[in-house]
Amino acid sequence: MGIIQKYGELLPITKKTPRITLEEGSTPLVYLDCISKLLDIELWGKLEGSNPTGSFKDRGMVMAVAKAIEEGAKAFICASTGNTSASAAAYAAAAQVPCYVVLPAGKVALGKLSQTLMYGATVIAVKGNFDRAFEMSREAAEKTGYTVVNSVNPYRLWGQRSGAWEVCDVLGKAPDWHAIPVGNAGNISAYWAGYKQYKEIGKIVELPQMMGFQAAGASPLVTGELCPNPETIATAIRIGSPVNAKFAKEAVAQSNGQFNAVTDEEILSAQKLLASKGGIFAEPASCAPLAGLVKLKKEGRLPKGITVVMVLTGNGLKDLATAMSQVGEPITIEDNMKDLLEVMSS
Ligand SMILES: *Cc1c(COP(=O)(O)O)cnc(C)c1O
């Protein structure tokens, strides 16, 4: 059951909203036993890489696309660091509406680019960063009348609230900390709105503290200043001017949370930790929260025994080049048993 079917009562839909779905949402919430012990907390990972296009973007996109069709959209347009475009292209294909995607040239992981092209979107790579691609796509939308499906589209954030509802439905409460990577800051804003809405209707009693994690080279919410040349290996959060900065700051302030930055090195080592001690392969941006928890633990700033949910925003298979650069090559041998047994005993 997709999120419009599952949570329709909580979403701004009407009888006329088409009930489209690629069966997004209902992703696993996995208890990470080994890493919990290492960090002395109760750590859960929300596996958003299990969504139809491999990232959480599908939760918001299904709503944005359904509402746009309800309102008679002719075509969709978005700027993207990769996952938004994959998601927009997939839902546009399912609904058979044209989709235009503007990307920062050379800065999108190959998995995401190939998905987007495969779904049949028109892909335009701009020689500039995401922030510039976004400005241009907004201007193009004004000129053409096409619907922008970036996270400035309010329906995107509505759909993404469903992640918070699922967490509470499984845990029976909100976690103490909600840890999440922050790029354009839509998802942290959406989760906070989702938790608050669940509290208002009596589904939960306590709200979580919202802990946002940015890459050190793209951390305007940590430094308090826009970042004109964002740089990080975690391309999904390579954003210098977050579109939803205002809501994200409110979420952190109201929840008594924090923004923290982590280096690319810390992100890559968290990616390896998550895979080798948790069995979960998530893309680099998704590992910023775990990198942050490890860092806070080292600094003595991670309270013992708290329940933490981290959102593993995208699937590791999307960015294989980065992964391969970390793990090295397999051990190659001649086709004889002796060599195989020798490797296995070393
Ligand atoms: C989009 C994205 C983010 C950042 O989410 P925002 O809502 O832009 O803050 C993080 N991780 C992945 C994998 C993403 O695709």
Side-chain angles (χ1 to χ4, degrees):
M1 202 191 298
I3 65 139
I4 297 182
Q5 289 79 357
K6 189 170 169 193
Y7 291 113
E9 284 169 14
L10 302 174
L11 293 168
I13 55 169
T14 71
K15 285 203 187 88
K16 286 197 203 124
T17 313
R19 291 337 191 229
I20 56 173
T21 185
L22 289 171
E23 303 297 329
E24 61 291 324
S26 302
T27 56
L29 185 67
V30 179
Y31 187 69
L32 293 158
D33 193 47
C34 176
I35 305 175
S36 289
K37 286 186 181 122
L38 284 176
L39 295 177
D40 219 345
I41 57 176
E42 291 189 12
L43 182 62
W44 300 78
K46 180 79 171 144
L47 257 64
E48 291 294 281
S50 301
N51 276 298
T53 75
S55 88
F56 75 84
K57 299 295 199 296
D58 294 342
R59 295 179 181 276
M61 199 56 72
V62 70
M63 272 297 289
V65 165
K67 293 302 283 188
I69 292 172
E70 178 180 352
E71 288 156 17
K74 291 185 297 237
F76 307 128
I77 182 165
C78 67
S80 175
T81 57
N83 282 331
T84 294
S85 65
S87 188
Y91 283 89
Q96 285 294 290
V97 175
C99 180
Y100 298 89
V101 164
V102 187
L103 304 173
K107 294 293 181 187
V108 171
L110 201 55
K112 304 174 188 181
L113 183 60
S114 57
Q115 281 182 290
T116 308
L117 290 163
M118 186 61 83
Y119 293 129
T122 303
V123 179
I124 304 120
V126 172
K127 294 178 184 169
N129 62 25
F130 168 84
D131 303 281
R132 183 65 189 128
F134 179 57
E135 273 170 23
M136 288 174 68
S137 62
R138 269 183 131 172
E139 215 175 306
E142 267 167 38
K143 296 212 157 85
T144 55
Y146 297 166
T147 306
V148 177
V149 293
N150 277 100
S151 59
V152 281
N153 180 315
Y155 298 116
R156 283 274 308 277
L157 299 199
W158 267 104
Q160 286 171 210
R161 289 186 189 193
S162 61
W165 302 335
E166 287 176 12
V167 166
C168 298
D169 288 348
V170 171
L171 295 182
K173 60 172 187 176
D176 298 313
W177 279 17
H178 179 90
I180 186 165
V182 176
N184 259 320
N187 213 23
I188 189 172
S189 308
Y191 266 91
W192 179 238
Y195 284 122
K196 282 199 300 188
Q197 192 176 352
Y198 244 30
K199 184 171 176 190
E200 272 159 29
I201 61 170
K203 292 262 193 183
I204 54 171
V205 181
E206 304 286 344
L207 291 167
Q209 287 177 273
M210 301 300 287
M211 305 296 290
F213 296 91
Q214 296 204 290
S219 55
L221 291 167
V222 181
T223 62
E225 282 164 30
L226 295 185
C227 173
N229 297 304
E231 213 34 89
T232 169
I233 198 156
T235 48
I237 52 173
R238 187 174 171 271
I239 287 166
S241 172
V243 173
N244 289 293
K246 182 174 156 278
F247 295 132
K249 284 182 200 161
E250 276 171 20
V252 163
Q254 290 173 6
S255 72
N256 198 20
Q258 285 171 28
F259 288 113
N260 281 288
V262 286
T263 64
D264 281 4
E265 244 178 14
E266 289 167 333
I267 288 173
L268 292 171
S269 105
Q271 186 184 30
K272 191 84 203 299
L273 180 73
L274 180 66
S276 63
K277 300 234 185 287
I280 296 167
F281 185 21
E283 69 170 283
S286 309
C287 301
L290 181 57
L293 294 172
V294 169
K295 184 172 143 169
L296 291 174
K297 172 80 181 164
K298 276 190 196 139
E299 293 171 355
R301 293 162 61 204
L302 183 63
K304 274 192 187 141
I306 59 169
T307 301
V308 181
V309 167
M310 60 179 178
V311 187
L312 301 169
T313 46
N315 196 304
L317 293 171
K318 284 173 173 276
D319 187 358
L320 295 176
T322 304
M324 284 308 285
S325 74
Q326 297 306 302
V327 291
E329 295 297 320
I331 300 161
T332 306
I333 57 166
E334 296 303 325
D335 63 344
N336 67 54
M337 280 309 292
K338 189 174 142 287
D339 288 4
L340 177 58
L341 292 172
E342 201 176 295
V343 171
M344 290 172 69
S345 65
S346 64

